[in-house]
Structures are given as structure tokens and as C-alpha cells.
Amino acid sequence: MAYEFAIYEKRPDKHLAVITMNRPEVMNALHLPATLELTAIWDDFAADPDLWVAILTGAGERAFSAGNDLKYRPAPDDPPRPPTGWGGLLTRFDLYKPTIAAINGWAMGGGLEIALACDIIVAAETARLGMPEVRVGGAPSESGGAHRLPRQIPSRIAMAMLLTGRPIAAAEAYRVGLVNEVVPADQLMAAAERWAAAIAEASPLAVRAVKEAALSGADLPLETAMAVDYPGIDRLRESIDREEGRRAFREKREPQWSGR
């Protein structure tokens, strides 16, 4: 299927999907039509058994995403925003396949919120990350920025970003733990693909089970979290992959994962 505001590339030989927000003329700011396309893409990624990891990035060199397209005016007959949220990802809490954000420039407002919804963030040295909503009379609450940011970095730093709206450089984002790696801009996608390949070396069922347990148990007391029966863990225990992993270890060879 062809998309107007996104590029969707499947690489089943690497179990990888590369999703590109494609509105470079407006720094990949998102409007409802772009969100609808991205929602369909994330739906497809979630359902495709050959795709285990996704990389999300922005077209061009200027921006990952500048966030909400404030110049877009919805039409009266526009459909409602999908329940999975802005960019098709912000409130997609049941996606346990891992996701990687490759930030190639400005990641502002909703753009940074989309990155925060990913599991791993790789940033170009030229990237800038910020939550400028307060500077335009807004609040990054409904889309999760005010909630995700303080959960992912120290509170004082998160509050400084949220209350001033000022962006931080990639190096500072790495220092405070907001991103996993900073690389030269021309090495960004190679770095993101390296992370994706490292994840794909593991059992896809195990990876999803770990993500499900980590996210579902994050707000529970430790004793409770450890006692919960997570569906992904239960599936893993009964899987072909679990037996294959143990057999490969005994036979001193690389496992051949089936995702079953």
C-alpha cells in the first residue's frame, strides 16, 4: 500500500520494519491524515509475524518530527483520532514488539512524545529534543509528555524541560539518560539498525515477554509484579522457541528462532 505522509519499508530477512514520517516540508509535523496512515502502518507491523523490531525516523535532515502541525485545520467530516493516539503510537500500550526511535534532527513536542513511546532512542549529534508546549499555551499531558518524561529521566531535568519549553542537545540528552546513543548524523540509521539486529538475535517471544512484564509491572510493588502471571511469559514457557534456545545452548550453536 502506498502512503502519502509516511514511508513503510519491510525487511523480513532482518525481521525489521523501517517507518519514516514523511512531511519534510513541515519538519515532519503530524496532522490527522498522517496519524491515520501511521496507525495503519503500526497495525500492520504488530500483526506481521515476520517483523520483530521497528525503527521510526523522520524524512530529511532537519527533523525527526516537530510535533503537532498547528497550521492544520480539521474538517467537520474528519474521522476521530484513533485510540492508539497521535502518530498511531502514543497510547498503543499493547505493542510488545520492540521499537527504536532514530532522531535525525529536531524532536519537539509530539515528536519527542512519539520517541518517548519507543523502547530505545538513538540520536544524531545534531538532534535537539524538547517539549515547547508551554510556549504556545499548551500542555503535553494528553499525549503523555508530562507523564513519560519524568518517568524516564531525573525529575529536576524533566521539570526544567517541561516548564521552560527549552530544548536540549543530543549530548545532554545522552548525559541524562534520555537517549541510548549519540552518533554522527550520517551514521544514525546504521546505529539504529545495529540495535535492531542485536534485539533480533534473541527469541522474539522472549523479547516481547520481557517488554510486557517490564511495562505491565512498572507501577506495581516489586513483590506483586513478580507474582503476576503475564500472558507473554506464559506463552514463552510453552513455546518452540524456548526449547530451541535450550537445545542450541547445549549443542553450542546459534538458535534458529521461529517466533512460535
Side-chain angles (χ1 to χ4, degrees), residues 2-260:
Y3 298 97
E4 183 178 358
F5 306 114
I7 301 169
Y8 184 28
E9 180 184 0
K10 295 186 179 186
R11 302 180 191 175
D13 57 318
K14 297 183 178 180
H15 301 292
L16 174 64
V18 179
I19 302 166
T20 305
M21 295 173 283
N22 189 30
R23 300 187 75 214
E25 70 282 1
V26 290
M27 297 179 68
N28 299 315
L30 298 182
H31 55 2
L32 180 59
T35 283
L36 293 173
E37 288 190 1
L38 287 165
T39 299
I41 289 170
W42 286 116
D43 287 346
D44 184 86
F45 167 69
D48 193 325
D50 292 326
L51 300 177
W52 299 355
V53 187
I55 296 172
L56 176 66
T57 193
E61 299 179 354
R62 297 176 60 205
F64 174 77
S65 173
N68 184 13
D69 186 348
L70 298 180
K71 295 181 180 180
Y72 176 74
R73 293 291 178 264
D77 58 347
D78 274 354
R81 184 186 300 181
T84 48
W86 205 242
L89 189 61
L90 291 185
T91 51
R92 191 182 288 265
F93 295 115
D94 60 350
L95 179 62
Y96 297 128
K97 291 183 177 183
T99 55
I100 301 167
I103 298 181
N104 51 308
W106 290 93
M108 301 296 287
L112 180 53
E113 288 172 320
I114 292 172
L116 293 176
C118 294
D119 302 303
I120 290 172
I121 301 177
V122 183
E125 291 174 339
T126 53
R128 297 292 184 272
L129 301 84
M131 292 279 182
E133 281 86 346
V134 295
R135 291 178 170 262
V136 292
S141 177
E142 181 182 350
S143 296
H147 310 292
R148 280 191 167 103
L149 195 62
R151 284 168 165 80
Q152 296 188 21
I153 62 174
S155 176
R156 292 284 184 266
I157 297 167
M159 294 307 295
M161 291 178 65
L162 291 166
L163 298 179
T164 68
R166 293 175 178 171
I168 61 173
E172 176 67 3
Y174 176 77
R175 187 187 70 82
V176 302
L178 184 53
V179 306
N180 296 85
E181 184 177 6
V182 177
V183 297
D186 62 356
Q187 298 176 25
L188 177 66
M189 290 308 294
E193 290 178 25
R194 173 167 37 79
W195 281 96
I199 293 171
E201 290 176 359
S203 159
L205 292 183
V207 167
R208 290 170 214 164
V210 167
K211 178 175 176 177
E212 178 186 354
L215 295 182
S216 300
D219 295 326
L220 300 175
L222 180 60
E223 182 178 358
T224 303
M226 292 176 64
V228 170
D229 288 327
Y230 301 100
I233 298 291
D234 291 339
R235 285 192 296 272
L236 178 64
R237 291 193 183 109
E238 304 299 324
S239 70
I240 294 172
D241 273 3
R242 181 177 174 87
E243 181 56 36
E244 166 62 11
R246 294 183 173 193
R247 184 183 299 113
F249 180 81
R250 292 193 300 268
E251 296 172 0
K252 299 181 179 180
R253 61 172 174 82
E254 293 296 321
Q256 301 298 310
W257 307 119
S258 65
R260 296 182 288 120

